[in-house]
């Protein structure tokens, strides 16, 4: 692999204005988001035209780039709406369009010629010839297929023009299908995954039924495991930033536009610190606290995807998530030794919170001196979004996130 190392971009997912604020506060160099149409995730609220303009202005004022998803595979009846969408994206000031379809690419060059074109992972770029041809067609970046290993990425880098940027996923959910090109959802629910409406049937539990024994279901086993045979593990490359950067990738991408602002904050913070640590001390392993942070979000069992070759990629025992921590409060203000907290989950006097602040290493905070908004002492904060006053000598930043480990 090449020894050339460049300062990599950290690219974070954004589903609404709250998540945009979290991504920027916790260190994203760029964000990717969607408008009301043509994005591969319909679950997030996404951005209206007015919100998109505000989001771009907010991000640019903080030197953060904005990439707009236009990565569905549109059908004939949708094409007439594309020129207006593309022209508006350019007028709004987005920095790049993430595109999967060659027809959309051609239209983007015509109707949004000032906006960079990034070819989506849905395009399935897995070799240097495809990458080079896309560059020749006008793409400034390709988002590499997730099925590649590190050696293959390094070879693509070595055999493509230096002006072509390479983007690779570093964290998040994995699709059982090739780079997201899946028809299960369409077949089983009528919801088209390639138009942003996947129902995630790969996460469901399956059984067999013999034709002459209707209603008699037989579970599908693999070894001693259960029946979630298509349920992919999540990717986590937090311990392998050096290996990724040595391939020459330009951008490290976190998956999760449908995830919470808390997820965006934690993942962005962890990878921001891991990347910065590497550039400061390339000989050191990533700090253990950074690795541990990614266990404090809701996630499936982690893997390194295909980066180090094929490894077991499915979670057979269940279709759910590992959840070890709950967000219990967000700090709204700190003044004169008093933190004003907005409750998110129930907590009690005497608990110890794990606090996450932008730019700081997490720390523990005793919750020993609690009051309601009228300064009546309280033993618990049971009501959603209630205001809680905490006396503490430890200053808290506005937006600090307070967490608590779940009881076993």
């Amino acid at each position: 692999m090449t020894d050339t190392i460049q300062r990599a971009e950290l690219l974070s997912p954004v589903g609404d204005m709250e998540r945009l604020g979290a991504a920027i506060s916790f260190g994203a160099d760029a964000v990717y988001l969607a408008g009301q149409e043509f994005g591969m995730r319909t679950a997030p609220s996404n951005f209206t035209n007015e919100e998109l303009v505000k989001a771009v202005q907010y991000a640019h004022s903080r030197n953060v780039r904005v990439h707009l998803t236009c990565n569905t595979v549109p059908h004939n009846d949708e094409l007439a709406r594309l020129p207006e969408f593309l022209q508006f994206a350019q007028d709004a000031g987005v920095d790049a369009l993430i595109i999967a379809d060659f027809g959309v690419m051609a239209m983007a060059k015509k109707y949004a010629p000032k906006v960079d074109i990034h070819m989506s992972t849905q395009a399935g770029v897995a070799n240097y010839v495809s990458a080079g041809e896309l560059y020749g067609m006008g793409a400034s970046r390709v988002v590499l297929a997730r099925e590649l290993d590190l050696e293959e990425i390094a070879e693509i880098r070595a055999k493509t023009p230096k002006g072509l940027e390479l983007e690779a996923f570093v964290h998040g959910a994995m699709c059982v299908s090739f780079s997201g090109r899946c028809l299960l959802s369409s077949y089983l629910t009528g919801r088209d995954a390639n138009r942003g409406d996947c129902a995630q049937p790969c996460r469901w539990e399956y059984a067999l039924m013999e034709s002459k024994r209707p209603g008699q279901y037989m579970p599908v086993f693999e070894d001693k495991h259960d029946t979630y045979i298509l349920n992919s593990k999540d990717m986590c490359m937090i311990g392998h930033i050096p290996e990724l950067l040595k391939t020459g990738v330009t951008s490290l991408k976190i998956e999760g536009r449908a995830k919470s602002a808390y997820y965006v904050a934690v993942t962005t913070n962890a990878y921001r610190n891991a990347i910065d640590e590497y550039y400061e001390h390339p000989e050191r392993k990533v700090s253990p606290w950074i690795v541990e942070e990614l266990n404090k979000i809701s996630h499936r069992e982690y893997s390194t995807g295909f980066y180090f070759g094929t490894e077991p990629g499915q979670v057979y025992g269940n279709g759910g998530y590992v959840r070890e921590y709950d967000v219990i409060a967000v700090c709204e203000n700190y003044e004169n030794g008093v933190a004003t907290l907005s409750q998110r989950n129930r907590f009690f006097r005497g608990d110890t919170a794990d606090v996450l602040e932008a730019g700081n290493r997490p720390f523990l905070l005793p919750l020993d001196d609690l009051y309601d908004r009228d300064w009546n002492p309280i033993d618990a904060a049971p009501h959603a979004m209630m205001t809680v006053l905490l006396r503490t000598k430890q200053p808290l930043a506005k937006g600090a996130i307070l967490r608590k480990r779940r009881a076993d």
Side-chain angles (χ1 to χ4, degrees):
M1 291 188 296
T2 178
D3 291 329
T4 301
I5 301 173
Q6 63 186 72
R7 193 83 186 182
E9 170 191 86
L10 177 59
L11 178 58
S12 293
V14 168
D16 57 21
M17 290 298 290
E18 181 186 11
R19 283 169 271 191
L20 175 67
I24 293 175
S25 294
F26 284 89
D29 298 306
V31 298
Y32 64 104
L33 48 78
Q36 295 292 297
E37 287 191 286
F38 306 112
M40 280 293 287
R41 292 289 184 272
T42 58
S45 56
N46 294 320
F47 289 76
T48 64
N49 286 352
E50 181 180 355
E51 289 171 336
L52 181 60
V53 171
K54 291 180 179 178
V56 172
Q57 292 173 345
Y58 180 80
H60 284 178
S61 71
R62 289 155 177 80
N63 297 316
V64 172
R65 288 170 53 87
V66 177
H67 306 169
L68 179 67
T69 60
C70 190
N71 56 347
T72 58
V73 179
H75 289 206
N76 290 332
D77 60 347
E78 298 171 273
L79 293 179
R81 301 195 301 275
L82 259 170
E84 182 179 359
F85 179 86
L86 294 167
Q87 288 171 340
F88 180 82
Q90 178 170 283
D91 292 342
V94 301
D95 299 287
L97 292 163
I98 304 173
I99 294 172
D101 180 83
F102 292 107
V104 175
M105 181 186 191
M107 295 179 76
K109 290 162 67 176
K110 179 178 180 180
Y111 294 106
K114 298 179 182 178
V115 183
D116 288 346
I117 293 175
H118 294 177
M119 291 307 291
S120 169
T121 191
Q122 272 78 32
V125 177
N127 62 73
Y128 58 83
V129 174
S130 294
E133 286 298 309
L134 287 168
Y135 180 70
M137 294 169 64
S140 63
R141 177 184 296 190
V142 294
V143 186
L144 296 169
R146 300 190 213 192
E147 294 74 26
L148 297 173
D149 64 33
L150 294 175
E151 293 291 341
E152 291 175 303
I153 295 173
E155 185 175 6
I156 290 173
R157 176 70 287 166
K159 295 181 178 180
T160 52
K162 291 183 179 180
L164 175 65
E165 298 177 346
L166 302 181
E167 181 177 302
F169 280 90
V170 70
H171 192 93
M174 295 280 284
C175 181
V176 71
S177 183
F178 181 84
S179 286
R181 292 276 185 152
C182 183
L183 293 174
L184 272 178
S185 184
S186 293
Y187 283 137
L188 296 180
T189 70
R191 290 170 53 178
D192 190 343
N194 295 303
R195 296 164 85 187
D197 205 22
C198 184
Q200 295 196 328
C202 57
R203 311 297 182 186
W204 299 352
E205 182 177 7
Y206 290 91
L208 289 174
M209 186 177 70
E210 202 275 324
S211 63
K212 296 181 180 180
R213 296 174 176 81
Q216 295 184 25
Y217 293 93
M218 295 169 282
V220 179
F221 292 98
E222 179 152 341
D223 296 330
K224 297 180 180 180
H225 299 291
D226 242 343
T227 58
Y228 297 85
I229 57 175
L230 301 176
N231 185 36
S232 299
K233 295 178 181 179
D234 284 357
M235 177 191 290
C236 179
M237 287 291 287
I238 195 66
H240 303 283
I241 298 301
E243 294 96 318
L244 274 170
L245 294 183
K246 288 177 182 177
T247 67
V249 294
T250 307
S251 177
L252 301 182
K253 184 174 192 173
I254 299 169
E255 182 276 338
R257 285 197 295 110
K259 302 289 181 64
S260 67
Y262 173 65
Y263 169 93
V264 174
V266 173
T267 54
T268 302
N269 183 67
Y271 283 96
R272 174 79 280 148
N273 278 278
I275 292 168
D276 292 348
E277 271 197 358
Y278 173 70
Y279 285 121
E280 287 184 30
H281 306 287
E283 74 286 353
R284 296 184 189 174
K285 290 185 177 180
V286 63
S287 295
W289 75 263
I290 297 176
V291 177
E292 178 59 25
E293 277 297 289
L294 295 174
N295 292 321
K296 297 177 183 178
I297 55 174
S298 179
H299 64 279
R300 299 179 186 90
E301 184 180 338
Y302 285 134
S303 78
T304 54
F306 295 91
Y307 283 122
F308 296 96
T310 303
E311 67 168 74
Q314 268 59 48
V315 181
Y316 303 110
N318 64 76
Y321 288 88
V322 178
R323 294 183 174 92
E324 297 180 354
Y325 281 75
D326 288 320
V327 176
I328 57 173
V330 175
C331 181
E332 302 290 346
N333 185 52
Y334 180 86
E335 189 175 0
N336 298 326
V338 177
T340 302
L341 308 179
S342 178
Q343 190 260 29
R344 294 295 185 270
N345 279 288
R346 185 172 60 172
F347 60 94
F348 300 88
R349 181 188 295 271
D351 283 345
T352 298
D354 182 309
V355 181
L356 176 65
E357 291 183 339
N360 294 325
R361 181 171 173 168
F363 58 90
L364 299 179
L365 178 70
L367 305 178
D368 294 332
D369 205 1
L370 302 178
Y371 302 84
D372 66 18
R373 65 190 311 158
D374 297 318
W375 284 103
N376 298 307
I378 56 175
D379 292 323
H383 305 302
M385 304 300 289
M386 71 179 289
T387 297
V388 178
L389 304 177
L390 169 68
R391 287 193 184 278
T392 176
K393 295 180 180 179
Q394 172 65 54
L396 292 181
K398 180 179 174 65
I401 300 168
L402 282 67
R403 309 167 289 190
K404 186 176 72 171
R405 183 184 287 275
R406 289 186 167 191
D408 294 333

